[in-house]
Amino acid sequence: MNCYLCPRKCGVDRSLSKGRCRSLSDMRICRIAPHYYEEPPISGTKGSGTIFFSGCSLDCNFCQNYKISKSYVGKRFTPYELSEEIKKLVDEGVHNINFVSPTHFSDKIKETLDIYRPPIPIVYNTSGYESPEIINGLLEYVDIFLTDLKYIDDKLALQLSSASDYVENCLESLKVMVKNKPIIYGQPSTLLKQGVIIRHLVLPGYLDNTNKIIEYYAENYNKQALFSVMSQFVPMYKSTITRTLKPLEYKLVIKKLIECGITDCFIQELTSATEEFTPEFYIGD
């Protein structure tokens, strides 16, 4: 079966060879565990039940999870085997099931949830590089979209993530997400039951990109989706950005949020810019 799950639409038969995502058709997973460093409405007090897939359809030269995103590593799982692991997470009391870097395995995720649909929300934790038609096909499976909005400039997306069509696909997919998943809180009322969280990682030296994204959110999705501004950038992998965020840049981002009337959002402290927040991954087979 030729693969067209992500906007690259490489058309590779992943049962025979790896796609642009560096993955074959079998799911490879590098971590299954409660995770406490997502946004508060996701992590809560008992953690988010994260499932980290290897490979990635995007190709960021600064990837914080490059040990697993740049390779087809980890343990193989069938949909049935993954459904059994999800049951264990539910038994541990996590607030949701959180599929991280799921794009290139979205078909297998649907198969998994057809076998077992847990009684807690499903989180689709994505880079934002998605095809709108694929997102439409996930609406009956996903409760919460936790999506990046990395770029508002395709030249920058090409430069840093080899994706000259990032903006169009991300914005069109975002429209589908927000239209179909309005914000609903569960019990307790601090936990998200349904909705969209738009994440943006501030890239040092590229505040113009961040400012335009803040303006875009304010004009289109303020109060309709939650907004999360991340300051955790640390130079990794083959990053052409060689430093963390400066305190002045951080202050300017906060100033821009206030100017745009965005008062209810998540903002990471600068102290988050450290490798210690990167989870431990299982790399072997």
Side-chain angles (χ1 to χ4, degrees):
M1 180 177 177
N2 296 346
C3 184
Y4 300 98
L5 291 174
C6 85
R8 297 196 189 277
K9 301 186 188 301
C10 67
V12 171
D13 183 348
R14 287 170 52 197
S15 67
L16 300 174
S17 58
K18 294 176 183 178
R20 183 66 173 77
C21 57
R22 302 176 175 86
S23 301
L24 295 170
S25 58
D26 290 341
M27 289 186 290
R28 286 262 194 157
I29 296 173
C30 301
R31 181 179 172 85
I32 300 176
H35 188 58
Y36 299 90
Y37 298 122
E38 306 287 26
E39 285 75 6
I42 301 292
S43 291
T45 57
K46 297 180 181 179
S48 176
T50 48
I51 298 165
F52 284 83
F53 295 99
S54 74
C56 183
S57 56
L58 206 51
D59 194 15
C60 302
N61 69 28
F62 54 82
C63 183
Q64 311 290 282
N65 291 342
Y66 68 93
K67 292 178 182 178
I68 65 172
S69 69
K70 304 298 181 182
S71 303
Y72 186 51
V73 294
K75 184 179 177 181
R76 285 187 175 89
F77 281 84
T78 65
Y80 173 77
E81 289 168 338
L82 181 54
S83 73
E84 292 297 302
E85 293 298 321
I86 291 173
K87 290 177 184 178
K88 294 177 186 177
L89 287 171
V90 172
D91 289 342
E92 287 187 55
V94 297
H95 297 300
N96 46 67
I97 299 301
N98 186 348
F99 295 110
V100 185
S101 298
T103 311
H104 52 300
F105 290 121
S106 61
D107 55 342
K108 301 295 185 182
I109 289 171
K110 290 197 288 186
E111 288 181 40
T112 300
L113 295 175
D114 282 338
I115 295 170
Y116 171 64
R117 179 63 191 253
I120 54 178
I122 299 298
V123 180
Y124 191 83
N125 189 339
T126 169
S127 68
Y129 191 46
E130 299 282 351
S131 299
E133 62 270 22
I134 298 297
I135 295 300
N136 264 307
L138 286 165
L139 293 175
E140 65 181 290
Y141 294 91
V142 174
D143 302 294
I144 300 167
F145 286 99
L146 182 54
T147 179
D148 288 350
L149 176 47
K150 294 180 182 293
Y151 311 108
I152 206 75
D153 175 358
D154 272 332
K155 289 183 179 179
L156 186 59
L158 175 61
Q159 174 188 335
L160 298 179
S161 298
S162 303
S164 61
D165 58 348
Y166 179 91
V167 176
E168 177 184 359
N169 282 288
C170 182
L171 297 189
E172 288 301 311
S173 295
L174 186 56
K175 287 180 185 178
V176 177
M177 296 175 190
V178 177
K179 178 182 178 182
N180 290 279
K181 299 296 174 179
I183 297 170
I184 301 174
Y185 286 95
Q187 294 295 328
S189 59
T190 53
L191 288 175
L192 200 59
K193 180 179 180 180
Q194 177 184 282
V196 179
I197 299 179
I198 301 171
R199 275 180 172 172
H200 173 64
L201 175 64
V202 182
L203 299 174
Y206 294 97
L207 284 197
D208 185 55
N209 179 61
T210 293
N211 287 339
K212 289 178 180 177
I213 284 173
I214 291 172
E215 291 170 358
Y216 180 83
Y217 169 80
E219 292 169 5
N220 294 278
Y221 296 121
N222 197 6
K223 309 300 182 183
Q224 297 180 58
L226 302 175
F227 194 46
S228 179
V229 178
M230 301 187 296
S231 58
Q232 68 186 39
F233 181 89
V234 177
M236 291 187 184
Y237 189 54
K238 299 179 181 179
S239 178
T240 53
I241 306 171
T242 58
R243 62 175 176 84
T244 57
L245 204 63
K246 294 179 180 179
L248 177 59
E249 290 174 313
Y250 182 77
K251 291 178 182 178
L252 289 173
V253 170
I254 294 176
K255 182 174 182 286
K256 184 66 175 179
L257 289 167
I258 295 170
E259 288 175 353
C260 290
I262 303 170
T263 55
D264 184 18
C265 65
F266 306 106
I267 307 173
Q268 278 186 329
E269 298 292 336
L270 276 179
T271 53
S272 63
T274 171
E275 293 188 32
E276 71 180 69
F277 290 105
T278 302
E280 289 293 326
F281 297 117
Y282 176 78
I283 305 298
D285 197 352

